[in-house]
Amino acid sequence: MSYITQKKVAMVVKQMLIAKDFDTITVTQIMHQAQVRRQSFYDYFRDKYDVLTWIYNDEIKAVLNDNLDYEHWTLVLTHTLRYFQNNRDFYIKVFAIHDQNAPEAVIAQHIESLIRTVYTDISAQAHLTTSDAQAAFSQRVIAMGLVAEVKRWLVTDTQATLDQEIQLLQNYLNDSIQGLLANHRQ
Amino acid sequence: MSYITQKKVAMVVKQMLIAKDFDTITVTQIMHQAQVRRQSFYDYFRDKYDVLTWIYNDEIKAVLNDNLDYEHWTLVLTHTLRYFQNNRDFYIKVFAIHDQNAPEAVIAQHIESLIRTVYTDISAQAHLTTSDAQAAFSQRVIAMGLVAEVKRWLVTDTQATLDQEIQLLQNYLNDSIQGLLANHRQ
């Protein structure tokens, strides 16, 4: 299966998930709609969950232009939130999947790597570093809070606008990490 | 149904949930095992979910001695974490329930009220206040991170000890809220 075919299958799954529940989607349906031979599904995807993870990785990479390490974290945060908002219906369904293979774990890992970037940026600017267990712990909890907030923001009808949400989250991250740096300077 | 009977029913549900999946537990089974007339269940509980919420409220109140507003927040945090650890098998099952009525929402609200106490304590001590939308937003995200971390800590086998976890969370809360206060002083 080429990238083109993989993408075709992924887009079918994305459309299907917006319209129906994940449990009711079968590989046979997916491949029928994508007009690809059923058995080749397993050449590239482990299972249905794997397609969702693939979609996130593929699309977020395009959105961030592979620039996670170079772009300023406030821009990465903006691009990431805008991507979630543009794909709101899809991610509301994705975040509602709670099985062991649910793609949320992969998204959470990616957000955690974003938080490490934020931490590195802010600590470099403040000329402060911490390298203890506390810093790793706090970065993880901050990342989990961010994931939970993004989910809440997506599903809440009376949501803050994208710009408001970005500003609130940016301040939150800035404050939390400056607090961490201030109290655990090496 | 008296409090005694309510508690009896609740303890049956608690034991049952540790042994089997929530989906497979029926009201008939519960009341049979509690030796209470089936129909009276609905005099005091809306549904099965409501029993779990009742257990949390009843037990956490006893653990905290109704002192949430008077006891220092570090002690409240300690008592809360110890309670979760002592009831680990039960809460692993409770947190695995993802339906709309899942008790996690009530637990999260309670943790959020704890965070407001932490915020009030630290801001009084620092002689700083903020009263803007940012403070409310950040307190909620900090609370969601705390709930997610407590869940992670409970289900992870290679978990930190209670004392280590308390210390890490205490520092995390302290740092985050001091960061918030430092950057948004009124």
Side-chain angles (χ1 to χ4, degrees):
Chain A
M1 203 189 277
S2 63
Y3 172 79
I4 302 290
T5 316
Q6 229 173 345
K7 182 96 184 174
K8 193 172 164 188
V9 171
M11 288 308 98
V12 164
V13 173
K14 196 173 175 186
Q15 283 310 313
M16 275 185 158
L17 185 61
I18 292 170
K20 53 202 284 190
D21 280 350
F22 189 63
D23 288 349
T24 67
I25 299 173
T26 67
V27 169
T28 305
Q29 281 170 3
I30 295 165
M31 299 309 266
H32 178 76
Q33 195 154 327
Q35 301 184 290
V36 181
R37 196 170 55 85
R38 184 186 179 289
Q39 197 45 42
S40 61
F41 180 89
Y42 295 101
D43 293 346
Y44 287 86
F45 298 113
R46 270 195 317 281
D47 49 34
K48 290 190 302 175
Y49 300 96
D50 197 28
V51 184
L52 303 180
T53 304
W54 189 91
I55 292 170
Y56 178 76
N57 285 331
D58 181 62
E59 296 187 341
I60 202 76
K61 203 160 75 175
V63 164
L64 300 180
N65 301 311
D66 295 315
N67 279 343
L68 184 56
D69 292 336
Y70 306 103
E71 212 165 33
H72 194 264
W73 69 267
T74 52
L75 272 175
V76 174
L77 180 68
T78 301
H79 292 324
T80 304
L81 280 188
R82 185 177 295 130
Y83 167 68
F84 278 122
Q85 194 188 45
N86 288 343
N87 295 276
R88 189 173 167 226
D89 293 341
F90 176 66
Y91 280 104
I92 287 176
K93 298 299 276 288
V94 166
F95 282 128
I97 303 170
H98 294 288
D99 312 85
Q100 211 175 358
N101 299 322
E104 184 174 334
V106 170
I107 298 172
Q109 272 170 27
H110 184 251
I111 301 274
E112 212 180 317
S113 74
L114 166 61
I115 299 298
R116 280 196 296 273
T117 307
V118 178
Y119 176 82
T120 307
D121 274 19
I122 295 179
S123 72
Q125 218 191 334
H127 300 291
L128 286 173
T129 55
T130 68
S131 66
D132 54 4
Q134 184 67 48
F137 177 89
S138 293
Q139 286 174 47
R140 195 185 58 221
V141 183
I142 291 168
M144 291 192 297
L146 180 55
V147 172
E149 170 56 21
V150 168
K151 282 167 66 173
R152 194 206 57 78
W153 176 66
L154 284 179
V155 300
T156 304
D157 280 329
T158 57
Q159 58 181 271
T161 66
L162 178 64
D163 285 348
Q164 288 167 341
E165 185 71 14
I166 289 168
Q167 193 55 56
L168 287 164
L169 275 177
Q170 203 172 298
N171 290 341
Y172 160 72
L173 293 176
N174 215 7
D175 300 345
S176 297
I177 289 173
Q178 288 195 354
L180 172 64
L181 285 165
N183 291 332
H184 300 274
R185 61 188 73 186
Q186 235 182 6
Chain B
M1 201 189 279
S2 64
Y3 173 79
I4 303 288
T5 316
Q6 231 174 343
K7 181 96 183 174
K8 194 172 165 189
V9 171
M11 288 308 100
V12 164
V13 173
K14 197 173 174 185
Q15 283 310 313
M16 275 185 160
L17 186 60
I18 292 170
K20 53 200 287 191
D21 280 350
F22 189 63
D23 289 348
T24 68
I25 298 173
T26 67
V27 169
T28 306
Q29 282 170 5
I30 294 165
M31 299 308 267
H32 178 75
Q33 195 155 325
Q35 301 184 291
V36 180
R37 195 171 55 85
R38 185 187 179 287
Q39 197 46 39
S40 61
F41 180 88
Y42 296 100
D43 294 344
Y44 288 87
F45 298 113
R46 269 196 317 281
D47 49 33
K48 291 191 301 173
Y49 300 97
D50 197 27
V51 185
L52 303 181
T53 305
W54 189 92
I55 293 170
Y56 177 77
N57 285 331
D58 181 63
E59 295 188 341
I60 202 77
K61 204 160 75 175
V63 164
L64 299 182
N65 300 312
D66 295 315
N67 280 342
L68 183 55
D69 293 337
Y70 307 102
E71 212 165 34
H72 193 262
W73 68 267
T74 52
L75 272 175
V76 175
L77 180 69
T78 301
H79 293 323
T80 303
L81 279 188
R82 185 178 296 129
Y83 167 69
F84 279 121
Q85 195 189 44
N86 288 343
N87 295 277
R88 189 174 168 225
D89 292 342
F90 176 66
Y91 280 103
I92 287 175
K93 298 299 274 292
V94 167
F95 283 128
I97 302 170
H98 294 288
D99 311 84
Q100 212 176 355
N101 299 322
E104 184 174 333
V106 170
I107 298 173
Q109 272 169 25
H110 184 252
I111 301 271
E112 212 180 315
S113 74
L114 167 61
I115 299 298
R116 280 195 296 271
T117 306
V118 179
Y119 175 81
T120 307
D121 276 19
I122 295 178
S123 71
Q125 217 190 337
H127 300 292
L128 285 174
T129 54
T130 67
S131 66
D132 54 4
Q134 183 68 49
F137 177 90
S138 292
Q139 286 174 47
R140 195 184 58 222
V141 182
I142 291 168
M144 291 192 296
L146 181 54
V147 172
E149 170 56 21
V150 168
K151 284 167 67 173
R152 194 206 57 78
W153 176 64
L154 284 177
V155 301
T156 305
D157 280 329
T158 57
Q159 57 181 270
T161 66
L162 179 64
D163 285 348
Q164 288 168 340
E165 186 70 15
I166 289 168
Q167 193 55 57
L168 287 164
L169 276 176
Q170 203 172 298
N171 290 341
Y172 158 73
L173 292 175
N174 216 6
D175 300 345
S176 296
I177 290 175
Q178 288 197 352
L180 171 63
L181 284 165
N183 290 331
H184 299 273
R185 61 188 72 187
Q186 233 179 4

